[in-house]
Amino acid sequence: STKIKKAFIYVCLILLAALCLLPFLLMMVNATRSGVEITHSFTFIPGSHLQENLDALFEYVNLFLGLWNSLKVAVPATLLTAYFSAITGFAMAIYKFKGNKLLFKIIVIFMMIPAQLSLIGFYNLCQKLRLIDSYVPLILPAIAAPGIVFFLRQYVQSTLSKSLLEAARIDGATVVQQFRYVTLPYMIFVLTPY
């Protein structure tokens, strides 16, 4: 009976995965069809208008420039967010300083506030600092990511053994060295084991 249950669960999971991939398949099929065909019928059979659609796309949009701009924003924002959130989560999890619990509560509150509420004020600030048409406003605010700080704080608190840090401290490591040579490699290795 356990084999039947497992088989049923796997069949359900495969069906759900196929259902999730269905919109992507439909998007790729519709890329090969004309606008008239898309509005008149629904099919999973590819059409013959792929080259026309690509020509129309590149006539209005420089796709490769858009991808390059996305990379210029996404890579530094991701690296900076990961590093600074990790060091903040590490400090909040390991060191019991005055105001630690209050700071954690503030981070949880900021996680609940939608980012859209601050868009107008942020735009006005960027305008006053003359940062419009720059990548800086897209990269720098990403460093302060309360959700990632919350996740990494909980992760360090639950998995990192304090004896590792004590051993590093006995060997003469400073706080920054404990983070760089013990905690950060530990986080990278355990979060991404493969």
Side-chain angles (χ1 to χ4, degrees), residues 112-186:
M112 292 187 262
I113 299 172
Q116 291 83 358
L117 288 178
S118 63
L119 279 179
I120 295 172
F122 181 66
Y123 179 79
N124 289 336
L125 176 67
C126 290
Q127 201 170 25
K128 287 177 183 174
L129 294 174
R130 296 185 180 159
L131 292 174
I132 304 295
D133 293 333
S134 162
Y135 294 116
V136 175
L138 300 172
I139 296 169
L140 283 184
I143 294 172
I148 299 173
V149 171
F150 173 81
F151 167 71
L152 290 176
R153 176 195 178 270
Q154 300 300 102
Y155 173 74
V156 168
Q157 215 168 30
S158 62
T159 61
L160 184 65
S161 173
K162 290 190 178 179
S163 59
L164 284 171
L165 299 174
E166 288 169 7
R169 197 176 299 125
I170 289 168
D171 288 340
T174 63
V175 175
V176 176
Q177 288 172 332
Q178 289 172 33
F179 173 74
R180 270 183 68 193
Y181 298 115
V182 178
T183 309
L184 192 61
Y186 180 83

